[in-house]
Amino acid sequence: MQARNHWGGSFEINNNEEASTTENTDWDRAALHSQQQYRCLDETQQSWLLEPQQTKKKNQYVDFGCIVCSRKAVKWTLISIFLAFLVIGVPIIIAKSLPKHKPRPPLPDNYTLALHKALLFFNAQKSGKLPKNNGIYWRGNSGLDDGKEVTDLKGGLVGGYYDAGDNIKFHFPMAFSMTMLSWSLIEYSQKYQSIGEYDHIRDLIKWGTDYLLLTFNSSATKIDKIYCQVGGALNGSTTPDDHYCWMRPEDMDYKRPVQIAFSAPDLAGEMAAALAAASIVFRDNDDYSRKLIKGAQTVFAFARDGGKRRPYSRGNPYIEPYYNSTGYYDEYMWGSAWLYYATGNVSYISLATNPGLSKNSKALYDIPSNRVLSWDNKLPAAMLLLTRYRIFLNPGYPYEDMLQMYHNVTALNMCSYLKEFHYFNWTRGGMIQLNSGKPQPLQYVANAAFLANLFADYLNATGVPGWNCGSQFFRSESLRDFATSQVDYILGKNPMKMSYVVGYGQKFPTHVHHRGTSIPHNNIKYSCTGGWKWRDIRNANPNNITGAMVGGPDRFDNFRDVRTNYNYTEPTMAGNAGLIAALASLTSSGGQGIDKNSIFSAVPPLYPTSPPPPAPWRP
């Protein structure tokens, strides 16, 4: 018999086996069939042992509850998300984590640089107990006994501002200065905010209005007097006073009399304007704004008292030589206009447009001095302020006739500022002579620059390209050119090549007529006459009164930097307030244009509102 591998191994087949099989053909078929079965079984066993079993893999799934996905799809989805995170997310995270470098803001223009400095002048002029952040190292507390002898004033008359290079507090130009600062802030608030001076100028205004509220009984509805000045000097006096003595305000030890006015239509009208304008500035402070409005209404009622209409300065030797008022109807127009904007009370706009005011003030007359804004003459500013009302709100009857006249005069005022009309003289160096060639011209120049640029902004805000001077049409840009030329003259584009603003530019006055800045800050108290050596010395001032605009050159463009000549080198509050307003109007910081609406926020609707629609009809 043939041996067989029962474990499924391979068979050795050779010729002998083949022959043997051939020979044994006599095997029965059953045995042969059995042999074939065994061979097939052996082949199956071999496949089991020598080759892995080939079986089809089963798909696997992941059950998410609401859907069922194959595990393979989930795997590739997660891989795709991870790759997307690497490509997109990682760079974003890196970019977010890197320190940010903001683009540099554009460099401030010259007007912005000068404005930063000009505001500091008011810090240097503060009287009273100074705040810690006042920022003028050579100034300290002063005038803490001002008004102490006045028995009906609780706390006296501490605070406010010194007017110029002396130590007198003249309330008439102080009030005008506060009105001008408030007006510039109302019109150009976005510019002050953009240069970071918004809070600063508000603090300066409040320092002034807080003091003005002390000068009369602001809690009453009717008053009979105003304290109109603290300190003073008599011409030719040889006794210690604010002119004879050359002392730092911190060292004053002489008497400072308080002047009282029982009739003050001009001063009271200006104070009403200052308080009313400031109430618009502080509308975000309801209590203080209401306090200012109440004070403005009280003091304006005193100004309008029919039995007390004598100028506040008349016959007073402490005031008349310095800040003499030549009339009060301009203050009536000025004060009533501001009170209307502050309160919306139509009685004030009715007064402002009363023909009697224009008649008595000669506002509609062709008088050169009437076209010049100053602490004494408010006509050009008042008419421009009322022209604003016509341009933007167009109230119509019964105000239209007078408003149109004010608008016409305002346009003529602007024409008079243009050099081609030769209405005013001009110096060869390019300065308009608004005060007929008299000393200290720059305060009038700065005021005119502000009015001209503001009128141009009014025109542009209404889409009007210009205005007419007779038969000639001028674009609003000509007013900007005028304003720019005059402010540039102040800042150094003049024959002297000198900036008349202390601390601005490479060359500026260093012998300013100013007591505080001319005496060293060395803890030594110099007596009334002991300070004369600092007045008369030829050395430059030891302290710079940064931002102060001095009186300015003469009518030939000449300037002498001499401390004893106050016509050249003395700064004033009123002049510097006009400079600040002009600079704010011209700076490009914060964009061009004015705030059209905030000044009118208290003005009621001029026309009846449309009735509500009827209720829907129902059957």
Side-chain angles (χ1 to χ4, degrees):
M1 293 185 64
Q2 299 291 330
R4 291 182 295 188
N5 186 352
H6 297 284
W7 300 105
S10 60
F11 289 99
E12 293 183 1
I13 300 177
N14 49 39
N15 293 331
N16 291 334
E17 184 180 355
E18 194 175 46
S20 173
T21 304
T22 305
E23 289 176 354
N24 292 304
T25 55
D26 55 344
W27 286 6
D28 59 328
R29 296 186 179 275
L32 181 62
H33 178 72
S34 175
Q35 185 178 4
Q36 291 175 343
Q37 283 184 328
Y38 278 121
R39 180 170 293 181
C40 291
L41 179 63
D42 289 344
E43 290 175 356
T44 302
Q45 289 176 340
Q46 290 177 31
S47 68
W48 288 349
L49 295 174
L50 301 179
E51 297 179 7
Q53 185 178 5
Q54 298 295 329
T55 59
K56 188 174 180 180
K57 285 190 178 179
K58 238 179 171 185
N59 286 335
Q60 295 181 337
Y61 297 90
V62 178
D63 189 351
F64 289 105
C66 57
I67 58 172
V68 176
C69 298
S70 71
R71 187 178 296 248
K72 187 175 183 181
V74 171
K75 181 179 75 173
W76 282 109
T77 301
L78 292 176
I79 291 173
S80 299
I81 293 173
F82 178 72
L83 291 175
F85 172 75
L86 291 178
V87 174
I88 300 174
V90 172
I92 292 175
I93 294 173
I94 294 174
K96 293 281 187 183
S97 63
L98 291 175
K100 294 182 179 179
H101 298 283
K102 295 182 179 179
R104 291 183 179 181
L107 293 176
D109 57 31
N110 291 336
Y111 306 122
T112 298
L113 296 174
L115 181 56
H116 285 306
K117 295 179 182 297
L119 289 165
L120 293 175
F121 170 74
F122 282 84
N123 293 66
Q125 294 300 102
K126 284 182 179 179
S127 177
K129 188 174 182 179
L130 302 184
K132 292 182 179 179
N133 63 347
N134 192 49
I136 309 298
Y137 75 91
W138 46 269
R139 282 302 324 278
N141 299 335
S142 64
L144 300 182
D145 292 330
D146 284 352
K148 190 176 182 180
E149 69 277 13
V150 181
T151 57
D152 63 336
L153 284 176
K154 185 178 180 180
L157 289 166
V158 178
Y161 292 95
Y162 300 116
D163 177 67
D166 50 32
N167 299 330
I168 304 173
K169 295 190 289 193
F170 290 103
H171 299 170
F172 193 37
M174 187 191 303
F176 172 71
S177 301
M178 295 303 104
T179 312
M180 290 293 287
L181 292 183
S182 293
W183 193 9
S184 76
L185 181 54
I186 292 167
E187 301 284 13
Y188 298 107
S189 60
Q190 79 282 3
K191 296 191 177 188
Y192 284 103
Q193 289 172 344
S194 72
I195 66 173
E197 293 286 5
Y198 181 75
D199 292 334
H200 184 192
I201 192 171
R202 279 167 57 101
D203 289 343
L204 296 178
I205 293 168
K206 190 173 187 298
W207 189 269
T209 52
D210 282 350
Y211 178 75
L212 293 177
L213 290 171
L214 299 177
T215 63
F216 65 98
N217 186 358
S218 58
S219 62
T221 55
K222 187 174 182 179
I223 59 174
D224 60 359
K225 63 179 180 292
I226 293 178
Y227 296 99
C228 57
Q229 183 174 312
V230 176
L234 296 174
N235 272 339
S237 172
T238 57
T239 58
D241 61 23
D242 284 291
H243 279 179
Y244 181 74
C245 297
W246 194 267
M247 302 179 73
R248 299 173 69 246
E250 292 80 2
D251 297 333
M252 295 182 297
D253 55 9
Y254 47 82
K255 290 183 178 179
R256 289 167 53 77
V258 175
Q259 305 300 312
I260 305 175
F262 295 95
S263 173
D266 35 21
L267 171 60
E270 182 56 67
M271 288 174 62
L275 298 176
S279 75
I280 299 173
V281 169
F282 292 103
R283 279 209 175 119
D284 57 345
N285 184 342
D286 289 340
D287 291 340
Y288 190 60
S289 184
R290 284 195 296 266
K291 184 178 181 180
L292 291 170
I293 289 174
K294 186 179 186 305
Q297 292 173 322
T298 296
V299 77
F300 195 70
F302 176 68
R304 293 285 294 159
D305 191 329
K308 297 179 179 179
R309 294 195 178 177
R310 186 175 111 170
Y312 90 108
S313 57
R314 183 176 296 174
N316 189 323
Y318 286 95
I319 303 175
E320 202 168 28
Y322 311 107
Y323 286 103
N324 182 46
S325 174
T326 58
Y328 51 84
Y329 285 98
D330 56 324
E331 278 85 17
Y332 282 170
M333 189 186 298
W334 180 236
S336 58
W338 277 114
L339 273 164
Y340 177 61
Y341 291 150
T343 66
N345 188 327
V346 295
S347 66
Y348 293 119
I349 190 61
S350 297
L351 175 60
T353 55
N354 188 308
L357 288 191
S358 61
K359 179 181 177 181
N360 287 291
S361 64
K362 300 181 179 179
L364 307 181
Y365 289 42
D366 185 10
I367 301 174
S369 61
N370 281 357
R371 303 189 189 281
V372 181
L373 174 60
S374 71
W375 53 265
D376 182 37
N377 175 43
K378 319 305 171 15
L379 283 176
M383 287 189 286
L384 177 59
L385 191 64
L386 292 166
T387 296
R388 188 192 210 282
Y389 184 44
R390 181 175 189 253
I391 287 176
F392 292 108
L393 296 188
N394 191 22
Y397 181 83
Y399 314 117
E400 172 60 20
D401 287 346
M402 284 308 304
L403 290 176
Q404 184 178 14
M405 293 181 187
Y406 292 156
H407 194 164
N408 291 340
V409 173
T410 296
L412 292 174
N413 288 343
M414 299 302 149
C415 299
S416 72
Y417 298 154
L418 301 183
K419 197 171 186 178
E420 45 262 65
F421 289 105
H422 306 287
Y423 191 86
F424 292 102
N425 291 328
W426 290 64
T427 67
R428 290 186 177 181
M431 179 183 68
I432 190 170
Q433 295 185 20
L434 296 168
N435 64 334
S436 304
K438 295 176 183 177
Q440 303 178 0
L442 294 186
Q443 58 182 305
Y444 310 102
V445 172
N447 288 340
F450 171 62
L451 295 186
N453 205 51
L454 185 58
F455 184 64
D457 281 333
Y458 289 171
L459 295 178
N460 291 339
T462 51
V464 177
W467 85 110
N468 288 309
C469 295
S471 60
Q472 291 183 260
F473 178 81
F474 288 88
R475 300 188 66 82
S476 59
E477 285 76 10
S478 60
L479 289 175
R480 293 201 191 281
D481 292 342
F482 163 77
T484 299
S485 70
Q486 297 309 291
V487 173
D488 286 350
Y489 182 99
I490 294 171
L491 296 181
K493 289 186 179 180
N494 54 65
M496 299 295 296
K497 307 297 182 186
M498 170 180 281
S499 164
Y500 294 118
V501 177
V502 177
Y504 179 84
Q506 298 299 316
K507 181 182 178 184
F508 50 81
T510 58
H511 297 74
V512 179
H513 181 93
H514 192 277
R515 285 158 175 76
T517 191
S518 64
I519 299 176
H521 181 64
N522 56 9
N523 295 321
I524 298 176
K525 179 180 177 179
Y526 297 94
S527 66
C528 172
T529 56
W532 287 2
K533 72 175 182 178
W534 301 112
R535 178 194 65 191
D536 301 332
I537 196 171
R538 293 186 178 182
N539 294 350
N541 290 342
N543 312 306
N544 271 339
I545 183 165
T546 301
M549 181 183 74
V550 297
D554 61 21
R555 59 195 179 97
F556 302 108
D557 297 307
N558 295 319
F559 179 83
R560 295 181 61 204
D561 190 8
V562 179
R563 190 179 301 109
T564 52
N565 194 329
Y566 58 86
N567 283 331
Y568 289 114
T569 59
E570 186 172 25
T572 63
M573 279 191 69
N576 279 264
L579 173 68
I580 287 171
L583 290 169
S585 74
L586 287 172
T587 179
S588 60
S589 300
Q592 298 293 341
I594 58 163
D595 181 343
K596 291 193 297 184
N597 300 317
S598 63
I599 197 172
F600 297 129
S601 59
V603 175
L606 299 174
Y607 307 104
T609 57
S610 301
W617 181 83
R618 293 181 180 178

